[in-house]
Amino acid sequence: MNKNLKEMIITALMIAAGIILPIIFHAAGGPTAGRTFLPMHIPVLLCGLICGWQFGLACGVITPLLSALMTGMPMMAMLPGMICELAVYGAVAGILTHFIRAKGIYVSTFISLAGAMISGRLVLGVLNSLIFQAGEYSLQAWVTASFVTALPGIAIQIVFIPAIVIALKKAKPRLV
């Protein structure tokens, strides 16, 4: 199977996971589970790390858009910011994975993941303060939303995403 086709299939699976995971988290954890556990972020970051920046970017744009249309999550008021944030996550994860060559796959994956997570949050903060919520958005609101409320989701991403990427690369080297 050609590499591009494999990446398209993985991307489609990550988009589906990005729609299904928030439904599960909201059912189990209530209406604030999305902001706390960040379930849509996980497949987008994985897609960028596994398939590269182009597929990560596409996954980051398509996932929240389809999810909003199919499930109503995220709410339309939050959709433009989430599209931008997730697009940056997917693209930066793929770019950094391509260029970072640290000692060991775990360190390289972790650095790529951390860089993508920081970049996406910075872009969302800048866009919210200048465009999406201009005049209503403060540094305190950004820190609270991006780091304090999201701390459980950040921890989940840091612990599980590198482990998943490494397990996939070891289990099926021809797949990823």
Side-chain angles (χ1 to χ4, degrees):
M1 187 182 307
N2 107 20
K3 186 176 188 282
N4 209 26
L5 180 59
K6 288 179 189 176
E7 290 169 336
M8 284 186 222
I9 292 168
I10 292 169
T11 301
L13 291 171
M14 292 298 113
I15 291 168
I19 295 168
I20 294 167
L21 280 176
I23 294 169
I24 294 167
F25 273 81
H26 282 277
T32 61
R35 284 179 267 154
T36 303
F37 297 106
L38 313 172
M40 196 177 289
H41 297 199
I42 296 165
V44 172
L45 288 162
L46 281 169
C47 187
L49 291 167
I50 294 167
C51 299
W53 75 267
Q54 303 96 323
F55 292 98
L57 174 69
C59 186
V61 171
I62 295 168
T63 302
L65 184 58
L66 280 180
S67 181
L69 293 172
M70 295 169 71
T71 70
M73 298 181 292
M75 296 179 303
M76 287 299 168
M78 295 176 61
L79 184 60
M82 280 197 69
I83 289 172
C84 295
E85 177 187 23
L86 293 176
V88 169
Y89 285 154
V92 172
I95 291 167
L96 292 178
T97 296
H98 182 73
F99 288 108
I100 293 181
R101 299 286 177 245
K103 287 187 177 181
I105 188 172
Y106 183 84
V107 174
S108 296
T109 302
F110 179 79
I111 292 169
S112 299
L113 173 64
M117 291 168 65
I118 291 166
S119 298
R121 283 172 174 75
L122 287 173
V123 165
L124 181 62
V126 168
L127 290 175
N128 276 342
S129 65
L130 297 177
I131 300 170
F132 301 133
Q133 298 178 35
E136 302 170 17
Y137 202 73
S138 66
L139 181 61
Q140 180 181 355
W142 176 70
V143 169
T144 300
S146 295
F147 299 98
V148 177
T149 303
L151 196 56
I154 292 168
I156 288 169
Q157 291 169 11
I158 289 171
V159 170
F160 290 105
I161 290 176
I164 292 168
V165 170
I166 292 165
L168 287 172
K169 288 189 177 188
K170 284 183 179 178
K172 297 284 184 186
R174 292 187 312 180
L175 177 63
V176 290

